[in-house]
Every structure is written in C-alpha cells, then in structure tokens.
Amino acid sequence: MAERIGIIGGGIVGIAIARALAAGGGTDVTVLEKEHRVAAHQTGHNSGVVHAGLYYQPGSLKARLCARGRSMTREFCQDRNLPYRELGKLVVAVTNDELPRLDDIERRSRENRVPGLRRLTAGQLREIEPHVAGVAAVHSPHTAVVDYAAITEALADDVRRAGGKILLGQEVTAVAPGAGTVTVSTTAGTHDFDRLIVCAGLQSDVVARMVGATPSPKILPFRGEYWSMAAGRQDLVKGMIYPVPDPRFPFLGVHFTRGVYDDVHVGPNAVPALAREGYGWGRISLRDTLESLRWPGAPVLARQHWRMGAREISASLVKPLYFQQARRFIPELRPADLAAKTAAGVRAQAWDKDGSLLDDFAVDQVGAVTLLRNAPSPAATSAMAIAEHVLEHHLGMPQVP
Ligand SMILES: Cc1cc2nc3c(=O)[nH]c(=O)nc-3n(C[C@H](O)[C@H](O)[C@H](O)COP(=O)(O)OP(=O)(O)OC[C@H]3O[C@@H](n4cnc5c(N)ncnc54)[C@H](O)[C@@H]3O)c2cc1C
C-alpha cells in the first residue's frame, strides 16, 4: 500500500512539499488547509521578491536553499509561462556611516556567490535608479519579482494531476500520534496518516503543541504594511531599492519594489501584530497577545528592541513618519506619492524562550511528524528547495536533481 502522508498548510511550502512527494510516486499525499484557497496567508501577502541570497549566513539553510530555490523558481515560471522579471535590486548606503555595513553585505553576497553582484559608486547607482540618493550601493541584477500566489496555484495543479489531494476549508483541531499511525482531526472529519508534515506558518507553534512538541520556538507575528505609489509617480522606481539592513533586526527595512504587474509599493515595515492573522490594528486576539506577553523571552526582546519597536509603531500610525523613512532614498518623493495603504502581510517569526529571534530555517522531527518551525523570508523563494531538503533529510527520500 502507498505510504499515506498528510501535510498541514496550503501555503507555498506545504504545496511545494506535496508536489515533490506526489511527483516521486509511491505515496498517497493529502494537504489539509483551513482556508478556502491556497496561499491565503504569508504566501499571498508578501513582497513577491525572488531573493538572490545577499544577506544570509554563508552555509546556513537560508543561504543554500535560497540559491537553489531561486533557480528552481525561475525554471518553474519559464516552464509554466508565469511572470518572472529580473528587475534587479540595489542595497543603498545613504550616508558614509552605513558603508561598513554595506561592506559586510557585499562580502557576504560574494561568499554566497550571488550572481552578477557589483559594487557601485554614487554615480553608477544613479545610472540604474536615477532618482535615488546614496553614497554607494551593491547591485544584484538577478533579483526578480514573481506572483507567489499564482506559483502556488500552479504547484497545486501539479499535485492534483499527480493524484494528490488538497482539501480546503479543513482546519486541523487535534493531532494524535499513535503506534504507526498519526490521526488528524479537522473541522470536517478525521484522517489517518503514516507520516505528517506541518507547514502551518503563523500557526506552526499551535500545531506543534497539538503534536506534543516543545512549545519553543513560539511564533511572534510581525505585520508588514505597504503603501502603494501614486500612478504617475511610479517611474521614480525602476526595480528594487533596499536600505542597508540593521543586523540586530531580522527584517530588511522599508524598501521600494516594482512588482511583477508593474505596481510600485513601499514597505513592509515591521510592527508587532496583535493577532496571528492580524492584518490591521483593529484585529486583536487577546489569546495571541497574552501568549506573547507571557512568553519567558518577552522582557529580553522588549529591552533589546523597544527603541526600534517604538519607531516602527509610530511610523505605522503616523504617515509622515513612514514617509520620512522612505524619502531618505528618493529626495524627490512627496507625501502624496504614498497614495494608499494596501494589503498588509503578517510574518511568522520564530522566537526562542531566551528572547532571541531564530535566524535560520528550522525543521524538527517528533516521531513520524516533521515540523517546519521557522520558515520566514526567503522561504517563498526557497520553497521548492525546502521541499527537496525535507524529502532528503527528514523523510529519507533523496530527490533526483
Ligand atoms: C510582509 C511579508 C513580505 C515577505 N516578502 C517575501 C519575499 O519578497 N520573498 C520571499 O521569499 N519571502 C517573503 N516573505 C516570506 C514568505 O512569504 C514566507 O516565508 C512563505 O510564504 C512561508 O510559506 P508557508 O507555506 O510556510 O506559510 P503560509 O503561506 O503562511 O501558509 C501556511 C498555511 O497553513 C495554514 N494553516 C495554519 N494552521 C492550520 C490548521 N490548523 N489547519 C489547516 N491549515 C492551517 C494557513 O491557513 C496557511 O495557508 C514575506 C512575508 C511577509 C509576511
């Protein structure tokens, strides 16, 4: 009998794993997704960037799987006629005191073999982005933009064509690992599997607790809010313009992105969300908020990052403060150029008991259950490579390259 494998979560990671399993044959794959469509959470609410691997610790899972995932994503999009645009990315130092951190990014990018990477002077950077002010930059010409929701739909079509099932509107409410079988209860019934893979994004710690795994790391939801650029002013941005990131913080800072459909957006910032799926300040979950406040690492995180947190929250509530962050890069920017707040996304950032934020992708194994416990950016870029990694290192099913 074919091995029965259940996957919780119909985001890009769960669907990519389902596709790799279904393509290999010999398994009976079922994805359980609580929403009525795939890609309903992080996968459908992100910047759409295919990262080229500039920032990640050389040798880390992020560095390795991002590089492999980028080429797999490009090939998949070409094959399926899905949009894939290499608009290129600049990381811009606006002042001289940012140059040592730009040097670090350049060094790391070279260790990660980011293709085509170049260091640019102020004059050279303006040849690429004429409206940007900066003293120097690094340029990654192969950083691309895509539509991750469309990619996930296409991956899901492959799963169904290969005989796998994607059951929508089925929220997993309990998991009972037993001898040889894992029984999963959902809002629509129960399923028995030989193995289970959890790719539940913002809910991954909630499902981990159902499985009996350690409560740490916990998910700390961080909302990222975007502003759209006014029509008629979108020419200020040709590709992607990023700040030099602050290494103490896991997010990249507010940036400009020309999307795959030529929409230009500014963002995302990073504010603590008051609910796991809290897409605006009005969405509050007392349970999620209290859980975060009571977490043993909360005082440490608050002490380390209160200044940055206060700045991000103020900029979320007061448009001129958000505008100031953006205008550092484009002095011609006017307040009215940030036309409207658009759909936000909420990042699932894993947070340890000691207050530290996990940097690398993290996969745990508890008996027959494989748990993706930290799959933040660049997990959309890396999804197909994460699938290969899980099959090879956790399920003992090496993939033919
Ligand atoms: C604002 C923002 C910008 C980002 N930008 C980029 C970028 O430009 N490039 C990049 O590579 N990455 C980016 N990321 C990161 C990327 O989007 C995520 O790393 C990736 O989408 C994670 O995919 P996932 O499948 O793990 O999670 P998700 O897409 O969140 O999927 C998890 C799924 O599990 C389901 N689920 C949860 N609990 C249950 C349950 N009990 N029962 C059934 N189903 C359940 C959810 O409904 C959801 O559909 C960004 C993220 C955000 C939020």
Side-chain angles (χ1 to χ4, degrees), residues 8-15 32-35 37-51 148 170-173 199-204 207 210 222-226 242 268 277 344-348 361 375-382:
I8 303 177
I12 194 165
V13 175
I15 298 291
L32 301 168
E33 166 55 52
K34 69 183 170 76
E35 307 296 346
R37 61 192 161 95
V38 297
H41 288 291
Q42 294 175 91
T43 301
H45 293 90
N46 61 34
S47 303
V49 176
V50 180
H51 289 288
Y148 281 118
Q170 294 218 14
E171 178 167 356
V172 172
T173 52
C199 309
L202 289 154
Q203 312 283 344
S204 55
V207 181
M210 293 180 196
F222 270 103
R223 187 169 60 250
E225 299 159 332
Y226 297 93
Y242 281 65
E277 290 159 14
V346 184
R347 306 171 182 89
F361 297 146
S377 185
T381 305
S382 316

Side-chain angles (χ1 to χ4, degrees), residues 3 18 26 42 107 125 134 163 219 253 329 332 347 352 368-369 392:
E3 190 176 25
Q42 294 175 91
R107 201 173 315 117
L125 83 84
I219 290 297
F329 299 91
E332 289 168 56
R347 306 171 182 89
D352 232 320
V369 185
E392 182 168 350

Side-chain angles (χ1 to χ4, degrees), residues 27-381:
T27 54
D28 177 2
V29 181
T30 305
V31 179
L32 301 168
E33 166 55 52
K34 69 183 170 76
E35 307 296 346
H36 290 276
R37 61 192 161 95
V38 297
H41 288 291
Q42 294 175 91
T43 301
H45 293 90
N46 61 34
S47 303
V49 176
V50 180
H51 289 288
L54 278 73
Y55 308 102
Y56 317 120
Q57 177 71 37
S60 63
L61 282 179
K62 274 191 179 176
R64 289 187 284 125
L65 301 181
C66 177
R68 170 93 180 119
R70 184 181 70 83
S71 54
M72 293 175 88
T73 305
R74 191 186 51 215
E75 224 171 86
F76 184 77
C77 289
Q78 276 164 1
D79 194 50
R80 299 309 156 92
N81 227 1
L82 290 166
Y84 184 99
R85 298 176 68 193
E86 288 191 343
L87 297 181
K89 155 176 176 165
L90 285 178
V91 179
V92 180
V94 175
T95 54
N96 285 331
D97 57 323
E98 290 172 3
L99 290 175
R101 281 193 279 133
L102 188 70
D103 294 343
D104 287 343
I105 292 288
E106 185 186 356
R107 201 173 315 117
R108 209 166 246 210
S109 307
R110 296 206 185 282
E111 281 183 64
N112 287 336
R113 298 173 194 275
V114 171
L117 191 93
R118 279 204 309 146
R119 173 77 173 221
L120 304 182
T121 61
Q124 288 169 324
L125 83 84
R126 264 187 292 280
E127 283 169 25
I128 293 171
E129 291 283 0
H131 304 280
V132 169
V135 293
V138 292
H139 183 227
S140 161
H142 296 291
T143 298
V145 283
V146 291
D147 177 342
Y148 281 118
I151 291 177
T152 308
E153 292 284 358
L155 293 167
D157 288 343
D158 284 359
V159 174
R160 296 186 188 100
R161 261 195 298 272
K165 293 186 278 297
I166 298 175
L167 306 180
L168 302 174
Q170 294 218 14
E171 178 167 356
V172 172
T173 52
V175 179
T181 304
V182 185
T183 303
V184 177
S185 306
T186 75
T187 40
T190 59
H191 304 266
D192 287 330
F193 299 114
D194 300 308
R195 297 203 229 195
L196 183 67
I197 304 166
V198 180
C199 309
L202 289 154
Q203 312 283 344
S204 55
D205 55 339
V206 175
V207 181
R209 286 200 300 263
M210 293 180 196
V211 169
T214 59
S216 185
K218 178 188 154 28
I219 290 297
L220 186 60
F222 270 103
R223 187 169 60 250
E225 299 159 332
Y226 297 93
W227 284 83
S228 61
M229 282 274 272
R233 296 288 283 170
Q234 303 200 337
D235 279 351
L236 292 175
V237 176
K238 310 287 172 216
M240 284 155 264
I241 304 160
Y242 281 65
V244 180
D246 182 336
R248 290 167 305 167
F249 205 54
F251 309 120
L252 301 179
V254 164
H255 47 266
F256 294 81
T257 307
R258 177 170 286 275
V260 76
Y261 303 117
D262 265 335
D263 49 306
V264 174
H265 54 255
V266 189
N269 58 355
V271 291
L274 301 178
R276 283 166 196 276
E277 290 159 14
Y279 292 99
W281 284 114
R283 182 83 194 277
I284 300 170
S285 155
L286 209 56
R287 195 197 64 180
D288 290 351
T289 308
L290 284 176
E291 254 185 29
S292 292
L293 292 173
R294 288 181 181 146
W295 187 246
V300 180
L301 189 79
R303 234 184 354 262
Q304 280 174 351
H305 293 299
W306 69 269
R307 213 182 288 272
M308 170 76 89
R311 202 191 73 186
E312 292 286 296
I313 292 168
S314 316
S316 160
L317 297 170
V318 182
K319 181 183 170 186
L321 297 177
Y322 198 104
F323 169 73
Q324 263 172 27
Q325 287 186 25
R327 204 176 74 122
R328 283 187 79 225
F329 299 91
I330 305 185
E332 289 168 56
L333 201 70
R334 301 183 301 227
D337 294 340
L338 301 189
K341 258 190 174 171
T342 55
V346 184
R347 306 171 182 89
Q349 173 60 50
W351 185 21
D352 232 320
K353 261 204 170 96
D354 65 4
S356 59
L357 300 174
L358 255 69
D359 187 38
D360 207 0
F361 297 146
V363 190
D364 279 359
Q365 192 69 39
V366 179
V369 185
T370 306
L371 297 139
L372 274 96
R373 300 214 60 164
N374 196 38
S377 185
T381 305

